[in-house]
C-alpha cells in the first residue's frame, strides 16, 4: 500500500507531470468527444487521429527538430486535409461517407508510417522518440508539455462553454439550425477544429492508434447513464479523468506497463460496465424487462385460458386440472406449473389439491385480456379492412400490451360492441 | 394563373431543384399572400418537402430565386419559422421537451448567449398552446409520435415569426389535437401571420385552408381554395403518372447534363 501513498502524495514531480498531463488530456478529449459522438462523427475522429501522423513526420522533416510547435502545426494541417478529403469524396463521387473515411484513414496512415520509417532509417539522431506518436508517451511527460496541454484544455473548455447550445442544436437538428439562421458552417468548422486540436494533443499521451478510444469511449459510456447533455458531458469527463489517473497509477506501480494502453483499457472497462449495468439503457436491465414481459404474457395466457374454459357454463370459478388447461392451449406441463404457482402467489388463482381455480381478480384479468383481444380483432376488420381470418395473431400480442387508456379509447371508437368478427361475445365487467 | 398579389409573403420564381442532377421540382412559379392559411397538397414524392426546404434555403437551387416579404431569405430569417418532418431527426437524443422548445429561441438569442428567463416564459407559453404543458421535463425519446409533433410545433411557435412553414404537422396526431391545432393556426392567421402547411388528408382541405397549392413535381395550381381545389386540378395532381418528366430527369442524370444553361442566381438586393 506504500506505493499508493507515494503516488497520491504527488511528491515526485515526475508523477505530478504524468498525472496532471494524463487527466487534462483525457478529460478534455472526453468533453470534445461528447459532441463528436452526438454529431455521429465518431469515425471522423478516428480518421483525424490517423491522418495527423504524416503531419507530425512532415513537421519534423521540415524543421529538423522535435519541437512540439512544429509537430503540432504539421499535425493540424494534415488532420484538416484529411477532413476536406472525406468531404470532397462524399460530395463529388458516389462513395458513401463511411467508405470515404476508411479510404482517407488508411491512405494517410500508410503515408505516415512510410515517412516514419524513412526518418528512422535516415540516421538523424534527433528523431529518436518520434515513434512515441504511434502509441503515446504519457509516462515521459515533462513540465513543458503540461503547459501546452493546459492551455489547449482551457481553450477547448471555453469554446465548448460558449458554443454549448449551438453544438447541441446542430447535433439534434442541423436543418433547423440553418433555417433559423445560425452560421452552421462556421459552427461546424469550429467543432472540427476542436476535434483536431484534441486529437493532436491527445496522441502525445495515447498515440495515433488509440486516440479515437479516448475521444469517443467516455461519451459512449456516459450516454448509458443519462438523458441530459450537461450531465453526459460531466460524466464523460469524469470517466476520462478517472481513466487517465488509473493509467498513470498502473504504469507507476508496474513501470513496464505503458500508460496510454492502460488508459484505454480502463475507459473500455468503464464502457463495458455501463453497457451491461446502467439502469434503463443497460443491457441487463433490458433483458430483465424482456423477461418480465414474457412472464406477463405467459401469466395472462393462462388466465385467459381458464376464463375461456368457463365461458360456456358462465361459472368462472370451477376447479380445473393442468391437463384441462393444456388441452385448450399448448403449454409444457413444467412451464404451466411454474406459471400457476406464480399466479397463486399473486392471488390470481387458488389451488385445491391437483386442481386450480380463478379468484375474482384472476377472472377479471382474464376477462380483460379476452375483451381486448376481441376488440382489437374487430378494430382490424372494421377500420383497417383486414380479413377476419387474418387478425388473430396480431390480437394475441396486442391483448397484453394495451394500456387502460388505449383500451377505453378503443371501446369508445367501436361504440362498445357486443360481438367480435367471429361472433364471440365481447365481455365487459 | 392567379390574380395579382401586391405584397406577397412568399414569392417563388422559376424554381428548379435537383437531386443528383435529376430535377424533382420543375419551374415552380408562385406567390402567396400574407395572413393566409395555405395548404400544400400533393401525392407522396411530389416534392412538397423539397419545396419547403428549397424556400428555406436548405437545398441548393438549380435555377430560380425565392423571396420572402420581398427580401432574400437570409435577410429575414428572424421572421421565418420551420417545422421539419418529424422523421427528419433522431429522437433518441439526450434532451427534454423544454430543451427542444427553447431551441426556437436560439435565432433571437444569437450566438454564445444562454436562454434567459423571458425565453423560458415563451417556451412554457407555447407548450401550453399545443397542450404539452404536462410533458415539459419528459425525455423526447419517450414521447409518442403525436407528442413529438406537438413539441416541434411549440418550438416553431416559440420563434414568434411572421411566416410558418410546417411539413406534415398532423402526421401521427389524433383528430382532436388536429382540430385544436388548426384553430390555433387560425388565430395566428387572424393576427396577420402566414402559415403554410403540407397536408395529406384531402377530406379536410376545404375546411382548413384559405389557399391551396397543388404540387406534383411541377406546380399544378395555386390560389384560393374555393376556386383552386377543383376536381380537375386534383385529377391532374394525383392522376396520371408523370413518366415522361421522370424519364427526362433520369436522362439528365445519366448524361451529366447541366439542368440549366446560365443559371439564374438570386438577385442581389441592397
Ligand atoms: N436527399 C435526397 N436525395 C435524393 N433524392 C431525394 C432526396 N430527398 C428527396 N428526394 C427525392 O425527391 C422527390 C421529392 O421528395 P419529397 O420532397 O420528400 O416529397 P414529398 O415531401 O412530397 O413526399 C422524391 O422522389 C424523393 O425520392
Ligand atoms: Mg415530405
Amino acid at each position: 500500500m506504500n506505493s499508493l501513498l507515494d503516488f497520491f502524495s504527488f511528491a515526485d514531480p515526475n508523477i505530478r507531470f504524468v498525472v496532471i498531463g494524463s487527466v487534462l488530456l483525457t478529460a478534455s478529449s472526453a468533453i470534445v468527444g461528447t459532441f463528436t459522438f452526438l454529431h455521429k462523427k465518431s469515425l471522423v475522429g478516428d480518421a483525424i487521429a490517423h491522418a495527423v501522423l504524416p503531419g507530425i513526420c512532415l513537421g519534423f522533416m521540415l524543421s529538423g527538430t522535435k519541437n512540439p510547435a512544429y509537430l503540432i502545426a504539421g499535425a493540424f494541417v494534415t488532420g484538416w486535409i484529411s477532413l476536406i478529403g472525406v468531404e470532397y469524396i462524399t460530395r463529388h463521387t458516389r462513395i458513401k461517407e463511411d467508405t470515404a473515411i476508411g479510404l482517407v484513414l488508411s491512405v494517410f496512415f500508410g503515408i505516415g508510417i512510410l515517412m516514419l520509417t524513412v526518418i528512422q532509417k535516415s540516421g538523424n539522431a534527433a528523431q529518436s522518440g518520434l515513434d512515441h506518436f504511434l502509441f503515446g508517451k504519457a509516462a515521459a511527460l515533462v513540465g513543458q508539455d503540461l503547459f501546452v496541454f493546459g492551455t489547449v484544455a482551457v481553450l477547448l473548455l471555453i469554446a465548448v462553454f460558449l458554443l454549448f447550445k449551438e453544438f447541441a442544436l446542430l447535433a439534434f437538428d442541423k436543418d433547423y439550425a440553418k433555417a433559423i439562421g445560425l452560421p452552421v458552417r462556421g459552427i461546424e468548422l469550429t467543432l472540427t477544429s476542436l476535434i483536431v486540436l484534441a486529437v493532436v494533443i491527445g496522441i502525445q499521451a495515447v498515440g495515433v492508434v488509440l486516440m479515437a478510444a479516448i475521444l469517443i469511449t467516455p461519451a459512449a459510456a456516459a450516454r448509458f447513464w443519462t438523458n441530459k447533455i450537461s450531465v453526459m458531458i460531466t460524466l464523460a469527463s469524469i470517466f476520462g479523468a478517472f481513466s487517465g489517473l488509473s493509467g498513470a497509477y498502473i504504469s507507476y506501480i508496474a513501470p513496464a506497463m505503458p500508460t496510454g494502453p492502460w488508459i484505454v483499457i480502463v475507459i473500455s472497462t468503464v464502457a463495458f460496465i455501463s453497457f451491461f449495468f446502467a439502469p434503463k439503457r443497460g443491457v441487463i436491465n433490458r433483458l430483465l424487462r424482456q423477461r418480465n414481459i414474457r412472464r406477463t404474457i405467459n401469466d395472462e395466457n393462462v388466465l385467459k385460458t381458464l376464463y375461456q374454459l368457463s365461458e360456456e357454463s358462465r361459472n368462472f370459478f370451477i376447479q380445473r386440472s393442468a391437463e384441462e388447461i393444456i388441452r385448450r392451449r399448448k403449454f409444457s406441463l413444467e412451464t404451466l406449473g411454474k406459471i400457476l404457482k406464480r399466479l397463486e402467489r399473486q392471488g390470481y388463482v387458488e389451488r385445491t389439491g391437483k386442481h386450480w381455480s380463478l379468484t375474482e381478480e384472476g377472472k377479471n384479468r382474464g376477462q380483460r385480456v379476452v375483451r381486448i383481444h376481441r376488440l382489437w380483432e374487430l378494430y382490424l376488420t372494421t377500420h383497417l379492412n383486414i380479413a377476419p381470418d387474418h387478425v388473430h395473431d396480431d390480437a394475441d400480442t396486442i391483448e397484453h400490451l394495451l394500456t387502460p387508456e388505449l383500451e377505453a379509447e378503443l371501446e369508445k371508437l367501436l361504440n362498445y360492441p357486443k360481438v367480435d368478427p367471429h361472433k364471440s361475445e365481447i365481455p365487459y365487467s | 394563373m392567379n390574380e395579382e398579389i401586391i405584397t406577397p409573403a412568399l414569392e417563388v420564381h422559376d424554381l428548379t431543384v435537383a437531386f443528383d442532377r435529376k430535377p424533382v421540382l420543375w419551374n415552380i412559379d408562385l406567390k402567396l399572400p400574407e395572413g393566409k392559411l395555405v395548404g400544400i397538397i400533393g401525392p407522396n414524392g411530389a416534392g412538397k418537402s423539397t419545396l419547403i426546404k428549397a424556400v428555406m434555403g436548405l437545398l441548393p437551387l438549380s435555377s430560380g430565386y425565392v423571396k420572402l416579404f420581398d427580401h432574400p431569405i437570409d435577410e429575414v430569417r428572424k421572421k421565418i419559422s420551420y417545422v421539419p418532418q418529424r422523421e427528419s431527426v433522431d429522437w433518441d437524443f439526450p434532451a427534454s421537451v423544454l430543451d427542444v422548445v427553447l431551441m426556437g429561441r436560439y435565432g433571437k438569442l444569437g450566438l454564445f448567449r444562454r436562454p434567459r428567463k423571458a425565453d423560458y416564459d415563451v417556451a412554457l407559453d407555447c407548450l401550453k398552446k399545443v397542450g404539452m404543458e404536462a410533458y415539459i421535463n419528459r425525455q423526447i425519446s419517450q414521447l409518442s409520435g403525436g407528442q413529438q409533433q406537438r413539441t416541434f410545433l411549440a418550438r416553431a411557435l416559440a420563434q414568434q415569426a411572421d411566416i410558418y412553414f410546417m411539413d406534415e404537422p398532423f402526421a401521427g396526431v389524433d383528430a382532436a389535437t388536429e382540430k385544436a391545432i388548426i384553430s390555433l393556426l387560425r388565430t395566428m392567421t387572424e393576427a396577420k401571420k402566414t402559415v403554410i402547411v403540407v397536408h395529406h388528408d384531402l377530406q379536410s382541405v376545404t375546411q382548413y385552408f384559405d389557399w391551396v397549392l397543388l404540387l406534383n413535381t411541377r406546380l399544378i395550381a395555386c390560389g384560393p381554395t374555393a376556386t383552386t381545389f377543383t376536381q380537375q386540378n386534383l385529377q391532374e395532381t394525383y392522376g396520371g403518372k408523370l413518366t415522361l418528366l421522370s424519364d427526362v430527369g433520369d436522362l439528365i442524370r445519366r448524361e451529366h447534363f447541366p439542368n440549366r444553361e446560365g443559371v439564374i442566381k438570386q438577385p442581389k438586393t441592397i
Side-chain angles (χ1 to χ4, degrees):
Chain A
M1 278 294 97
N2 245 350
S3 65
L4 197 69
L5 271 182
D6 284 349
F7 182 80
F8 283 101
S9 64
F10 299 129
D12 181 344
N14 277 326
I15 296 179
R16 256 197 323 259
F17 293 151
V18 174
V19 169
I20 298 175
S22 305
V23 167
L24 274 177
L25 286 174
T26 45
S28 52
S29 307
I31 290 170
V32 177
T34 305
F35 285 111
T36 319
F37 176 82
L38 289 174
H39 279 248
K40 305 205 160 75
K41 287 211 186 305
S42 308
L43 273 176
V44 173
D46 201 21
I48 300 175
H50 283 78
V52 297
L53 187 61
I56 288 167
C57 297
L58 205 64
F60 175 77
M61 283 166 144
L62 293 181
S63 70
T65 72
K66 286 210 303 291
N67 184 331
Y70 293 113
L71 304 188
I72 289 178
F76 210 86
V77 170
T78 49
W80 259 110
I81 293 177
S82 76
L83 281 182
I84 295 168
V86 170
E87 201 182 304
Y88 185 87
I89 293 174
T90 341
R91 188 168 292 181
H92 293 283
T93 70
R94 283 173 175 278
I95 295 172
K96 296 262 182 306
E97 193 186 16
D98 53 349
T99 319
I101 290 173
L103 217 72
V104 166
L105 182 152
S106 30
V107 168
F108 274 73
F109 191 54
I111 295 175
I113 296 284
L114 191 76
M115 290 169 82
L116 197 62
T117 321
V118 170
I119 294 173
Q120 283 171 335
K121 292 260 158 67
S122 70
N124 182 338
Q127 62 84 22
S128 81
L130 211 54
D131 54 345
H132 278 322
F133 285 102
L134 273 184
F135 294 111
K137 53 146 192 178
L141 292 175
V142 294
Q144 190 194 354
D145 294 327
L146 283 199
F147 181 73
V148 178
F149 294 177
T151 317
V152 171
V154 169
L155 262 177
L156 293 180
L157 276 180
I158 292 176
V160 167
F161 179 80
L162 284 177
L163 286 169
F164 182 85
K165 78 177 197 303
E166 284 79 11
F167 286 160
L169 173 55
L170 245 67
F172 176 60
D173 193 349
K174 189 158 122 185
D175 270 356
Y176 185 76
K178 264 190 218 161
I180 62 174
L182 288 182
V184 168
R185 191 85 193 130
I187 297 168
E188 279 191 321
L189 281 179
T190 312
L191 180 62
T192 313
S193 305
L194 295 184
I195 300 175
V196 175
L197 208 59
V199 165
V200 167
I201 298 302
I203 53 169
Q204 316 205 30
V206 297
V208 168
V209 182
L210 296 176
M211 183 57 214
I214 67 163
L215 195 64
I216 303 301
T217 318
R223 183 70 184 94
F224 281 101
W225 300 91
T226 177
N227 274 319
K228 269 180 97 113
I229 290 200
S230 48
V231 179
M232 187 177 161
I233 289 188
T234 317
L235 268 181
S237 57
I238 291 174
F239 289 164
F242 172 73
S243 63
L245 189 68
S246 321
Y249 177 65
I250 291 170
S251 57
Y252 170 73
I253 49 173
M257 296 285 186
T259 314
W262 271 108
I263 292 179
V264 174
I265 288 176
V266 172
I267 190 63
S268 305
T269 312
V270 172
F272 263 113
I273 293 172
S274 311
F275 177 77
F276 283 109
F277 298 107
K280 288 205 189 131
R281 297 180 79 94
V283 168
I284 295 205
N285 186 278
R286 282 183 192 203
L287 288 178
L288 281 180
R289 262 196 320 233
Q290 267 168 27
R291 195 189 63 167
N292 281 343
I293 290 173
R294 261 198 312 277
R295 277 191 179 168
T296 307
I297 291 177
N298 274 338
D299 291 357
E300 293 192 343
N301 280 338
V302 169
L303 291 175
K304 180 172 88 171
T305 311
L306 279 168
Y307 179 88
Q308 283 172 332
L309 280 170
S310 308
E311 255 190 318
E312 293 264 296
S313 69
R314 311 229 123 246
N315 181 358
F316 294 103
F317 307 107
I318 295 176
Q319 299 180 347
R320 312 244 176 220
S321 66
E323 288 72 26
E324 248 176 303
I325 298 175
I326 289 174
R327 228 174 297 136
R328 173 84 193 205
R329 187 186 176 102
K330 216 166 154 33
F331 292 96
S332 81
L333 202 58
E334 195 195 335
T335 323
L336 182 62
K338 270 193 208 150
I339 298 170
L340 283 168
K341 282 206 190 88
R342 191 160 59 228
L343 286 170
E344 188 189 11
R345 271 200 308 280
Q346 294 172 352
Y348 290 117
V349 297
E350 277 167 356
R351 173 183 200 158
T352 344
K354 278 197 167 305
H355 286 75
W356 304 83
S357 61
L358 287 170
T359 62
E360 182 67 31
E361 294 70 31
K363 179 212 140 192
N364 287 341
R365 198 161 161 207
Q367 187 184 52
R368 174 168 186 262
V369 175
V370 170
R371 178 169 65 243
I372 295 178
H373 183 106
R374 292 177 185 167
L375 284 169
W376 189 253
E377 290 193 338
L378 192 63
Y379 173 70
L380 289 183
T381 46
T382 56
H383 282 67
L384 277 79
N385 290 326
I386 297 175
D389 55 338
H390 283 185
V391 293
H392 179 81
D393 291 343
D394 196 33
D396 253 350
T397 325
I398 299 296
E399 65 190 13
H400 308 293
L401 187 75
L402 231 53
T403 59
E405 295 83 54
L406 284 171
E407 183 193 343
E409 206 172 299
L410 193 60
E411 283 171 359
K412 212 167 98 197
L413 183 72
L414 298 169
N415 199 16
Y416 305 94
K418 296 227 158 35
V419 291
D420 77 356
H422 312 104
K423 301 281 173 274
S424 305
E425 189 200 332
I426 297 177
Y428 298 92
S429 37
Chain B
M1 121 182 60
N2 39 266
E3 67 260 42
E4 209 44 51
I5 300 163
I6 313 299
T7 54
L10 168 68
E11 180 189 354
V12 175
H13 180 82
D14 191 30
L15 176 86
T16 299
V17 180
F19 286 114
D20 196 16
R21 289 170 178 274
K22 178 179 175 174
V24 296
L25 287 176
W26 293 77
N27 297 59
I28 309 290
D29 241 318
L30 61 89
K31 286 181 183 173
L32 293 178
E34 259 182 280
K36 297 278 190 257
L37 188 47
V38 183
I40 301 184
I41 319 288
N44 260 333
K48 305 181 293 294
S49 303
T50 306
L51 177 63
I52 289 194
K53 284 188 191 162
V55 167
M56 310 247 21
L58 305 178
L59 293 172
L61 312 184
S62 300
S63 78
Y65 65 82
V66 173
K67 280 187 178 186
L68 289 133
F69 306 110
D70 206 28
H71 288 280
I73 180 144
D74 283 328
E75 292 174 17
V76 285
R77 287 268 179 209
K78 290 206 170 53
K79 293 185 179 179
I80 293 151
S81 180
Y82 176 41
V83 179
Q85 248 171 294
R86 178 161 56 86
E87 303 82 34
S88 66
V89 303
D90 178 2
W91 287 89
D92 188 21
F93 187 83
S96 68
V97 169
L98 183 62
D99 292 337
V100 172
V101 178
L102 279 171
M103 290 172 184
R105 306 297 300 164
Y106 289 5
K108 285 211 164 51
L109 275 171
L111 288 177
F112 309 129
R113 292 167 63 201
R114 296 287 152 102
R116 305 151 299 178
K117 187 138 192 320
D119 298 311
Y120 280 85
D121 291 349
V122 174
L124 291 181
D125 189 45
C126 294
L127 277 166
K128 275 204 195 95
K129 281 186 187 156
V130 298
M132 284 285 289
E133 65 269 35
Y135 301 95
I136 289 172
N137 294 314
R138 180 73 67 91
Q139 282 312 308
I140 57 168
S141 54
Q142 278 149 30
L143 297 177
S144 74
Q147 291 164 342
Q148 291 173 348
Q149 200 72 67
R150 281 187 279 162
T151 307
F152 262 4
L153 204 58
R155 178 176 75 170
L157 295 179
Q159 284 182 251
Q160 299 175 319
D162 291 335
I163 184 165
Y164 293 79
F165 293 90
M166 307 187 170
D167 203 342
E168 306 207 14
F170 301 128
V173 172
D174 64 83
T177 316
E178 182 171 322
K179 289 262 149 48
I181 293 174
I182 276 289
S183 75
L184 174 69
L185 301 185
R186 275 264 156 256
T187 56
M188 285 160 61
T189 51
E190 275 156 22
K192 273 302 194 198
K193 313 279 188 195
T194 311
V195 183
I196 298 161
V197 176
V198 174
H199 191 59
H200 254 324
D201 176 28
L202 294 178
Q203 309 286 322
S204 48
V205 168
T206 41
Q207 194 190 338
Y208 287 177
F209 300 112
D210 309 321
W211 273 58
V212 288
L213 191 165
L214 294 166
L215 190 74
N216 191 350
T217 316
R218 80 274 187 226
L219 184 69
I220 312 291
C222 176
T225 311
T227 55
T228 313
F229 194 67
T230 60
Q231 197 56 43
Q232 194 197 340
N233 281 338
L234 274 176
Q235 190 77 40
E236 216 181 315
T237 312
Y238 284 86
K241 288 237 172 71
L242 295 167
T243 36
L244 178 69
L245 210 50
S246 165
D247 285 350
V248 174
D250 284 332
L251 195 66
I252 291 177
R253 169 161 56 201
R254 273 204 310 277
E255 304 294 326
H256 283 232
F257 253 63
N259 296 125
R260 282 285 183 289
E261 296 174 51
V263 170
I264 311 161
K265 281 278 172 253
Q266 204 149 302
K268 286 264 175 294
T269 44
I270 301 123

